[in-house]
Amino acid sequence: MHRRPGKNIASSFDVIKYLLTLGGLAWLIGRGSEQLGYSWHWHRIPGYILTVSHGHWQAGPLLEGLMVTLEVSAASLVLAALIGLVTALLRLSGSLVGRVLAVIYLETIRNTPLLVQIFFLYFVMAPILDLSRFTAAVLALAFFEGAYASEIFRAGIVSVARGQWEAAYSLGLSNYATYRHIILPQAVRLVLPPLTSQAISLVKDSALVSTIAVYDLTMQGRAIVAETFLVFEVWFTLAAIYLLLAFMLSLLVRLVERLLAGRGQPAWSVQ
Amino acid sequence: MSGEGQGDIIIARGLNKSFPGPVQALADFSVTVRRGEVLVIVGPSGSGKSTFLRCLNGLEEVDSGTIVVDGIPLDENERHRLEIRREVGMVFQSFNLFPHLSVLENISLAQRLVRGKSRARAREFSMELLARVGLRDKAGSYPAELSGGQQQRVAIARALAMMPRVMLFDEATSALDPEMIGEVLDVMRQLADDGMTMVVVTHEMGFAREVSDRILFMEQGRVIEEGTPEQFFNSPVRERTRAFLRQIL
Ligand SMILES: Nc1ncnc2c1ncn2[C@@H]1O[C@H](COP(=O)(O)OP(=O)(O)O)[C@@H](O)[C@H]1O
Ligand SMILES: [Mg+2]
């Protein structure tokens, strides 16, 4: 990949602006906490992440919470992608029933708050279907993010050039084979960036599962705050961890994009 | 088939097709193509040439009329449509190669998925076809790395990989730079010499004159005139045909 010559300079300016903003923010918070008479106890935070006892590393509550957040996020991410893809295919299918079902699902999910969906699944559906907290949390997140993922998939699918369908059909490929081998591989490349944003949203939204007492990162943070009143330190730490997660996720996707970029580029429809 | 010649591979009767808009794309359009014949279709833009080809392999549905390809009726039965598509190869003006697949994969894919060939056997036949269109060394390239003429030759090889009984060409050279038209026409001429049944929509009158067995001139979805290349170019009957030829030659 070759870069535009000005790009590096421009991005170092961005970094400087970013650092200045952060510095300003830190100063404001420092002053504010001084006026509040807040006494910082940063040294206690590492203990909530990782401790050493009897020569063994032991995960603190924050690290345990992070693992739960990762598990919830990963499980609902996979499920959301699946739900999103199936919904997109249903919406584009020739079946009226399929299209109507897809639209009902989409409209319901997009027009109710995620918090209500989590409560509904946990307090209404979970007792009926005998679901665990964890399962209810994963299902709620997956159905919520799946609705948005399906719109992303749909946009990707319809933007693959019409000629690609026609070429595949004229070779005798079935509908399934055409999707599987021709359309989806091209669509996925197009939707990787918006899908990444959606995955990052999912990780952030997963904090809401703490409301049904799933001991994720946020829930652990709330518990520590309730116990120790380290309000500022804990919430700053949580924010930093979520930020780090999002950052690593986009790095990962950028890597995948780089791997795919060497191969042929998809055919976009000109619209 | 009663009443039809044994040698007819495409029988289209009374095709009608309209799109939203004033003109009818196909208006009571009938044609038969004999096995091994090269039929060239010419006509002004918008006269329904592409629509006819697309109806032949079920990319477009006719409003009324019957199409039978190699004894298979193109009807409501989805299986018939798939069967016909397997027997009919199509080459598009815009190539429509699969950009995310290598040249070799472009040609092998349908052999494996539709004909059920092993990877090795599909590869072997693909390399044979690539040699035939003069692109053996491009097997590993991606479409974006090829010139237009090379892409269209790959597209022809891809269609041939299904061992079709009929090949349809929809202005296969219209999107090409002039210096690349020859290489594609050469491949098409070779194919005709090998006895392939071909329906060719083209503006290349030289190709039509030399290679075709029959030329059909259509306008506004109808057959205006039909005849051998000699009749068509030297003694056209219809005034409309003469006007078209004056314009294009
Ligand atoms: N998908 C379509 N939607 C609307 N009108 C179409 C479509 N395809 C073709 N037509 C119309 O049908 C007529 C015949 O088009 P076409 O078969 O492409 O002509 P040709 O290939 O001879 O130039 C034209 O008037 C064209 O505008
Ligand atoms: Mg056309």
Side-chain angles (χ1 to χ4, degrees):
Chain A
M1 293 206 85
H2 47 89
R3 295 164 182 279
R4 279 178 295 130
K7 199 174 165 187
N8 279 330
I9 301 170
S11 59
S12 15
F13 264 123
D14 283 345
V15 169
I16 289 170
K17 270 190 282 182
Y18 183 65
L19 290 178
L20 281 178
T21 313
L22 273 186
L25 202 63
W27 180 76
L28 265 179
I29 290 167
R31 267 202 50 173
S33 63
E34 233 168 73
Q35 281 172 354
L36 284 173
Y38 191 87
S39 63
W40 296 90
H41 293 286
W42 277 111
H43 63 278
R44 294 179 60 188
I45 291 299
Y48 291 112
I49 298 175
L50 208 60
T51 51
V52 189
S53 64
H54 311 298
H56 287 291
W57 289 107
Q58 176 130 28
L62 286 185
L63 197 56
E64 277 174 2
L66 175 61
M67 293 318 288
V68 173
T69 289
L70 287 179
E71 279 169 31
V72 170
S73 301
S76 38
L77 191 61
V78 170
L79 207 55
L82 219 68
I83 293 172
L85 186 57
V86 170
T87 308
L89 294 179
L90 276 180
R91 276 206 75 180
L92 294 166
S93 76
S95 145
L96 183 66
V97 178
R99 288 205 303 268
V100 168
L101 280 178
V103 169
I104 290 176
Y105 159 64
L106 287 177
E107 293 303 323
T108 311
I109 294 290
R110 286 192 304 189
N111 293 301
T112 54
L114 173 56
L115 192 58
V116 171
Q117 293 167 25
I118 292 176
F119 285 171
F120 179 80
L121 256 161
Y122 181 61
F123 292 115
V124 180
M125 298 311 284
I128 298 174
L129 300 173
D130 195 21
L131 304 175
S132 71
R133 247 177 240 284
F134 183 85
T135 314
V138 166
L139 284 180
L141 276 176
F143 277 109
F144 179 75
E145 307 292 340
Y148 294 90
S150 90
E151 289 297 88
I152 295 173
F153 274 122
R154 191 169 73 105
I157 290 168
V158 299
S159 62
V160 174
R162 204 173 109 124
Q164 294 290 303
W165 292 94
E166 299 186 342
Y169 283 157
S170 73
L171 288 169
L173 262 61
S174 65
N175 236 327
Y176 168 77
T178 303
Y179 262 121
R180 162 84 180 69
H181 295 278
I182 307 301
I183 304 302
L184 289 180
Q186 297 183 59
V188 163
R189 273 172 229 213
L190 176 72
V191 302
L192 219 42
L195 225 42
T196 313
S197 318
Q198 200 56 45
I200 290 172
S201 294
L202 187 151
V203 173
K204 294 184 299 180
D205 292 343
S206 78
L208 278 176
V209 305
S210 66
T211 56
I212 56 170
V214 170
Y215 271 77
D216 75 328
L217 187 54
T218 302
M219 186 66 200
Q220 295 284 14
R222 285 168 57 185
I224 297 171
V225 169
E227 211 174 282
T228 64
F229 301 106
L230 294 171
V231 182
F232 281 25
E233 293 88 339
V234 168
W235 289 117
F236 269 115
T237 308
L238 287 199
I241 295 176
Y242 278 111
L243 194 67
L244 201 68
L245 273 184
F247 180 68
M248 291 196 314
L249 206 54
S250 38
L251 266 192
L252 187 75
V253 174
R254 201 141 335 145
L255 202 73
V256 173
E257 272 178 342
R258 190 76 51 93
L259 284 177
L260 289 174
R263 323 203 42 206
Q265 286 305 298
W268 310 135
S269 66
V270 209
Q271 281 170 347
Chain B
M1 306 236 28
S2 62
E4 305 289 357
Q6 276 295 316
D8 292 335
I9 192 164
I10 296 175
I11 303 161
R13 287 269 170 274
L15 305 186
N16 283 288
K17 173 78 188 173
S18 28
F19 292 102
V23 284
Q24 215 174 330
L26 292 175
D28 196 24
F29 185 85
S30 298
V31 69
T32 53
V33 181
R34 291 189 312 277
R35 219 171 276 276
E37 185 179 29
V38 176
L39 172 68
V40 163
I41 301 180
V42 299
S45 171
S47 56
K49 308 181 296 293
S50 298
T51 303
F52 171 59
L53 291 190
R54 294 160 56 78
C55 285
L56 271 187
N57 68 354
L59 287 180
E60 207 81 73
E61 246 174 278
V62 289
D63 299 336
S64 64
T66 58
I67 293 173
V68 179
V69 178
D70 205 16
I72 311 163
L74 184 59
D75 50 25
E76 296 299 302
N77 191 333
E78 185 61 24
R79 187 164 296 164
H80 287 163
R81 191 205 301 257
L82 275 179
E83 259 178 80
I84 287 178
R85 283 177 177 164
R86 284 163 200 190
E87 304 308 329
V88 176
M90 179 134 180
V91 177
F92 302 87
Q93 178 176 346
S94 49
F95 328 137
N96 294 348
L97 290 180
F98 305 132
H100 60 301
L101 300 179
S102 72
V103 164
L104 182 67
E105 290 165 332
N106 261 277
I107 304 175
S108 302
L109 187 73
Q111 295 182 61
R112 295 199 283 119
L113 295 179
V114 180
R115 297 285 191 218
K117 283 197 205 173
S118 71
R119 196 176 280 271
R121 287 199 40 220
R123 183 194 158 86
E124 196 182 327
F125 189 45
S126 302
M127 293 308 291
E128 217 172 279
L129 288 168
L130 276 176
R132 226 158 111 190
V133 298
L135 292 170
R136 231 189 126 79
D137 54 328
K138 296 293 185 193
S141 305
Y142 282 88
E145 298 161 359
L146 304 181
S147 73
Q150 291 171 331
Q151 287 191 52
Q152 194 59 297
R153 281 143 70 198
V154 171
I156 294 174
R158 178 177 70 176
L160 291 176
M162 295 301 291
M163 308 232 274
R165 316 267 170 89
V166 183
M167 285 283 284
L168 311 177
F169 292 84
D170 191 1
E171 302 199 28
T173 57
S174 294
L176 296 176
D177 291 335
E179 71 270 20
M180 293 172 188
I181 292 176
E183 64 193 58
V184 172
L185 290 181
D186 284 345
V187 170
M188 291 168 63
R189 190 174 288 126
Q190 185 62 48
L191 211 53
D193 290 345
D194 292 346
M196 175 65 76
T197 308
M198 294 162 60
V199 181
V200 183
V201 170
T202 185
H203 296 299
E204 295 295 324
M205 290 304 138
F207 179 86
R209 192 194 290 269
E210 289 162 38
V211 182
S212 78
D213 297 306
R214 186 156 54 109
I215 298 180
L216 190 150
F217 173 59
M218 70 185 289
E219 192 172 55
Q220 295 185 359
R222 299 172 188 282
V223 182
I224 302 292
E225 179 144 6
E226 194 182 341
T228 63
E230 282 89 71
Q231 288 166 353
F232 183 77
F233 286 108
N234 301 335
S235 48
V237 180
R238 302 300 196 98
E239 175 46 37
R240 192 61 200 90
T241 315
R242 274 180 242 139
F244 176 75
L245 285 174
R246 270 198 304 278
Q247 204 179 355
I248 203 162
L249 289 179

